[in-house]
Amino acid sequence: MVKHNNEVPNAHFKKAWQTRVKVWLDQPGRKKRRRNNRAQKAAEIYPRPVSGLLRPVVRASTAKYNTKVRYGRGFTLEELRAANVNPKEARNIGIAVDYRRKNASVDTLNANVQRLNLYKAKLVVFPRKAGQPRSGDADAAQLANVVQQQSNIGFKQSESYEKARVITDEEKEQSAYLTIMKIRSKLRHVGDEIKAENEAKKKL
């Protein structure tokens, strides 16, 4: 018998939970199938790189993510020109091109130009017709030693943060608040200063 004024037991034990359980018994099989598909794709596109087109290194957008570096859509025309790569021929030699992106940073421009130069040093161009190489195509010795690139040219996350240090006496004497207020005041009165200078010149 239930004591006191408690809730009457109403536990539900007939929910047929076995029909709602989700299992993942095909995980090993799917893993093997993905591995076989990657190997088949690599064999089909040989000797082109397995990772696809060469991508630039760019900064992620917005203040929340711009401290991180990631792969971009394609190289800008300015980056291709700096690396002596024809934008119309870039796609044929495995380089992605983005006609919309603009270079806002010199550091990013130099980093991507360096990536292009490194890629060009490793690039082996096969002749369109066997035995009839054109200028710029690889010779027989280079074709015999071709190794398929398994991954895109990597990059490192840059440590842009400043390490902790002791505050100097000179920094203690300065006031960031007063500095900002002075600059704001000066900007607010720019028009008055220009007006006063013009009136002084007229009096002369």
Side-chain angles (χ1 to χ4, degrees):
M1 183 64 187
V2 178
K3 292 183 179 181
H4 309 296
N5 189 23
N6 297 331
E7 183 182 1
V8 177
N10 58 352
H12 302 280
F13 294 113
K14 297 181 180 180
K15 292 188 177 182
W17 60 270
Q18 294 89 343
T19 61
R20 295 177 173 86
V21 173
K22 187 174 182 180
V23 295
W24 198 8
L25 301 177
D26 60 345
Q27 181 186 13
R30 283 178 175 272
K31 180 179 178 181
K32 185 176 181 181
R33 184 169 66 188
R34 288 195 301 269
R35 181 182 178 87
N36 293 337
N37 289 341
R38 287 195 298 269
Q40 181 181 355
K41 180 183 176 182
E44 289 175 355
I45 66 174
Y46 180 86
R48 293 189 295 274
V50 176
S51 58
L53 300 175
L54 179 69
R55 304 287 179 181
V57 173
V58 299
R59 290 267 172 195
S61 58
T62 72
K64 183 177 181 180
Y65 300 105
N66 64 7
T67 57
K68 296 200 173 180
V69 178
R70 63 172 177 81
Y71 288 121
R73 180 184 180 88
F75 292 89
T76 63
L77 300 178
E78 188 178 0
E79 292 166 353
L80 295 172
R81 290 192 195 97
N84 295 324
V85 177
N86 189 346
K88 293 183 178 180
E89 296 179 358
R91 189 68 171 73
N92 295 335
I93 58 177
I95 299 174
V97 182
D98 187 1
Y99 293 92
R100 299 172 297 178
R101 187 168 67 87
K102 305 294 182 184
N103 287 103
S105 171
V106 179
D107 296 335
T108 306
L109 172 65
N110 294 335
N112 286 326
V113 170
Q114 187 177 359
R115 282 174 66 81
L116 286 169
N117 290 331
L118 180 62
Y119 180 78
K120 285 168 60 181
K122 296 181 177 182
L123 182 65
V124 176
V125 180
F126 277 60
R128 288 182 178 273
K129 293 183 179 180
Q132 299 179 9
R134 298 180 180 178
S135 61
D137 293 347
D139 54 13
Q142 289 177 322
L143 297 177
N145 299 323
V146 168
V147 178
Q148 190 177 27
Q149 185 78 16
Q150 296 296 321
S151 61
N152 217 318
I153 298 176
F155 61 87
K156 291 183 179 180
Q157 291 289 347
S158 60
E159 298 180 359
S160 58
Y161 60 87
E162 186 176 353
K163 294 183 179 180
R165 59 179 177 81
V166 179
I167 301 174
T168 62
D169 296 334
E170 184 181 354
E171 290 174 342
K172 289 180 181 179
E173 294 175 358
Q174 295 176 352
S175 173
Y177 174 75
L178 291 177
T179 304
I180 293 171
M181 293 304 292
K182 286 178 182 178
I183 294 172
R184 284 181 176 177
S185 177
K186 189 174 181 180
L187 291 173
R188 194 163 54 245
H189 298 293
V190 166
D192 297 336
E193 292 177 0
I194 294 173
K195 185 178 180 181
E197 290 178 2
N198 294 335
E199 291 179 354
K201 289 180 181 178
K202 288 179 180 179
K203 292 179 180 179
L204 295 175

